[in-house]
Amino acid sequence: MNIVILAAGQGKRMKSALPKVLQTLAGKPLLEHVLVTANQLVGKAKTKPIVVIGHGASAITAYLEQILKDHPGLANAVTVMQKEQKGTGHALLQALPKLDLDEPTLVLYGDVPLISKKTLMRLVKLADGKRGSDSALALLTQQMDNPTGYGRILRDTEGAVTGIVEEKDADRQQKNISEINTGIMVLPSGRLKKWLKSLRASNAQGEYYLTDVIAMAARDNVPIRTAQVDFEWETVGVNSRDQLAALERTHQHVIAMQLMETGVTLLDPARIDVRGKLSCGSDVVIDVGCVFEGNVSLDSGTRVGPYCIVRNSTIGKQVTIQAFSHLDGAVVGVNSIIGPYARLRPGADLANDVHIGNFVEVKNSKIDSNSKANHLAYVGDSIVGARVNIGAGTITCNYDGVNKHQTIIEDDVFIGSDTQLVAPVRVGRGATLGAGTTLTKDAPANQLTVSRAKQLSIQWQRPVKQEKTVASKKTATKKIAAKKTAKAKK
Ligand code: UD1
Ligand code: CA
């Protein structure tokens, strides 16, 4: 099967420097949603989706190159240039040389992101997918209460499709038709050359309409079959920012419903945003205002407090993530407690029963079981053993301005508050660091290491403010007044 994604339009109504198909829905460009679905349909077949580009072509090409690096499977697409946007028929004509004429052609739109694989499979089946010129033509249509703006499906008295008329070319009677063209269709490729080349732009918009091939198919006695979508949102297109925002909410609602179906508790399904893939075990509870990005998994019994951001992280069973925590590229073990206001950065790898408290930042560090950093600390490029206590205000000084260095803290270490560990440095098993220590050399196991000036007590008198009496205040005012008159006389 050939898949052509039309994406050359400008998207004027977005009023954006970014091409419309690169605007994001659920954190992903519109075009990426379509590409993911297209690649699922193609499966292991060697055919690549063909993307027709025009407006913002260089940005789209750059994007495709980028995702080729990030997700090699996905960018399995080729582009075709449509220099001037002369209509959807003209757009498909540009892709014609790249089509396998023995296979049917599925036409998708770069700005209709949520069309499902299931619906498309049904449509492809309907077209019968035989040899290119022998297959039927399948149209995805929809009944709409308000069909304004869409092309209308024309049928004869028997109900057979005879053509499509665009809104701008429709007469009053045709405008009353409520069955619309979603734009998505499967075409017999072998006939496309003849049909597309005979398109004329003699219509209200002066464009070469792809929709005009439907009447040609009817004339050529090609069977025209129609299918409908399961959900209306599948064929919603994005033309403006309000439509994009509305579709985002619809999509998030669908995701929220799916999560709840799998046994997740959402305190408010209207207040969650999933921008990627969120997998949850049973009895996960998610409070309001959380954002999940990339690949996130939350194992059974884990609770996420309000207003957390979790990106590309793997969270074990029975973990508690408290309000306002920010996790990115982290692994959190069973029973751990994170936050409130904790920050786990890429490479934070926590074993079970670890506690990371408020205003603690962990980056590229392994922390073994039952260790704690409960308040105001920075743990970077470190290996921390089990049962370690990291006191408030402790900082690993991992960066000398050029290089990053490692800190190793062995099992059962106790680090007093406000300690700086100047890496590279190692704290031996069972060692204690006194509060305020600046550790520049390794600390031996099982000893107390402290670097601190000796405490002194000296007799002295703290300067005391002179209490101003009412009388002294009066004389002060007089003095000022006298100065002023003296100045004036000068
Ligand atoms: C089109 C259909 C209409 C249908 C509607 C569904 C035609 C003539 N009309 O109308 O029947 O109800 O979609 O949303 O097909 N594009 C190009 N090159 C061009 C023109 C468009 O690549 O020269 C791309 C656009 O980027 C967009 C898609 O084709 O992704 C649809 O184009 P658009 O101008 O939005 O068509 P509509 O007027 O919405
Ligand atoms: Ca459109």
Side-chain angles (χ1 to χ4, degrees), residues 1-2 4 47 50 92-93 95-105 129-135 187-194 196:
M1 182 178 43
N2 305 291
V4 180
T47 47
I50 301 161
L92 187 57
L93 185 64
L96 194 62
K98 291 227 155 52
L99 300 183
D100 175 353
L101 298 183
D102 288 334
E103 293 282 330
T105 297
K130 290 215 188 80
R131 305 225 64 96
S133 51
D134 292 341
S135 62
L187 300 160
S189 310
R191 299 184 188 260
L192 276 179
K193 188 170 180 184
K194 185 186 136 206
L196 293 175

Side-chain angles (χ1 to χ4, degrees), residues 386-463:
R387 298 170 304 278
V388 169
N389 188 81
I390 296 176
T394 295
I395 281 171
T396 54
C397 310
N398 58 329
Y399 186 50
D400 60 14
V402 183
N403 307 296
K404 301 271 168 70
H405 301 284
Q406 194 177 49
T407 299
I408 296 171
I409 302 168
E410 295 181 356
D411 294 348
D412 300 296
V413 164
F414 183 98
I415 301 178
S417 299
D418 195 25
T419 295
Q420 302 94 50
L421 298 112
V422 182
V425 74
R426 173 188 291 266
V427 184
R429 179 184 286 261
T432 303
L433 302 187
T437 292
T438 301
L439 194 73
T440 50
K441 289 180 292 215
D442 291 357
N446 299 317
Q447 291 185 33
L448 169 66
T449 299
V450 64
S451 81
R452 202 194 274 171
K454 269 225 156 59
Q455 186 168 325
L456 288 178
S457 299
I458 299 167
Q459 284 292 349
W460 82 307
Q461 178 60 56
R462 195 190 311 156

Side-chain angles (χ1 to χ4, degrees), residues 13 20 109 111 237-239:
R13 278 174 285 168
K20 180 165 75 177
Y109 290 67
D111 60 355
V238 173
N239 297 302

Side-chain angles (χ1 to χ4, degrees), residues 6-9 52 82 85-88 91 109-111 150-151 164 166 181-183 209-211 239:
L6 304 186
V52 181
Q82 184 194 22
Q85 284 70 55
K86 294 185 190 166
T88 47
Y109 290 67
D111 60 355
Y150 289 95
I164 295 177
E166 289 303 299
N181 170 36
T182 66
Y209 292 163
L210 176 57
T211 43
N239 297 302

Side-chain angles (χ1 to χ4, degrees), residues 243-377:
Q243 285 174 348
L244 181 62
L247 192 58
E248 176 81 43
R249 283 348 300 162
T250 307
H251 185 43
Q252 292 300 341
H253 178 71
V254 172
I255 295 172
M257 291 300 148
Q258 286 166 351
L259 284 170
M260 291 192 293
E261 262 166 41
T262 64
V264 176
T265 297
L266 300 179
L267 277 102
D268 182 357
R271 282 185 286 168
I272 178 173
D273 283 85
V274 180
R275 300 169 190 159
K277 192 169 182 300
L278 172 62
S279 337
C280 295
S282 58
D283 297 305
V284 163
V285 179
I286 300 172
D287 212 325
V288 301
C290 293
V291 179
F292 298 91
E293 297 179 340
N295 277 321
V296 174
S297 69
L298 307 174
D299 212 334
S300 309
T302 281
R303 304 176 77 91
V304 183
Y307 304 104
C308 291
I309 298 174
V310 186
R311 181 186 300 136
N312 295 323
S313 295
T314 306
I315 315 299
K317 289 192 173 78
Q318 306 288 344
V319 169
T320 304
I321 299 173
Q322 306 195 80
F324 299 105
S325 293
H326 191 290
L327 286 73
D328 182 4
V331 175
V332 179
V334 180
N335 276 324
S336 292
I337 302 174
I338 311 297
Y341 298 101
R343 181 165 184 214
L344 302 184
R345 290 173 52 201
D349 183 353
L350 318 184
N352 57 295
D353 299 278
V354 169
H355 294 187
I356 300 295
N358 41 251
F359 306 105
V360 173
E361 176 179 342
V362 179
K363 185 215 78 172
N364 187 32
S365 296
K366 259 182 125 72
I367 301 184
D368 210 344
S369 56
N370 294 289
S371 288
K372 295 180 179 130
N374 270 330
H375 335 263
L376 303 149

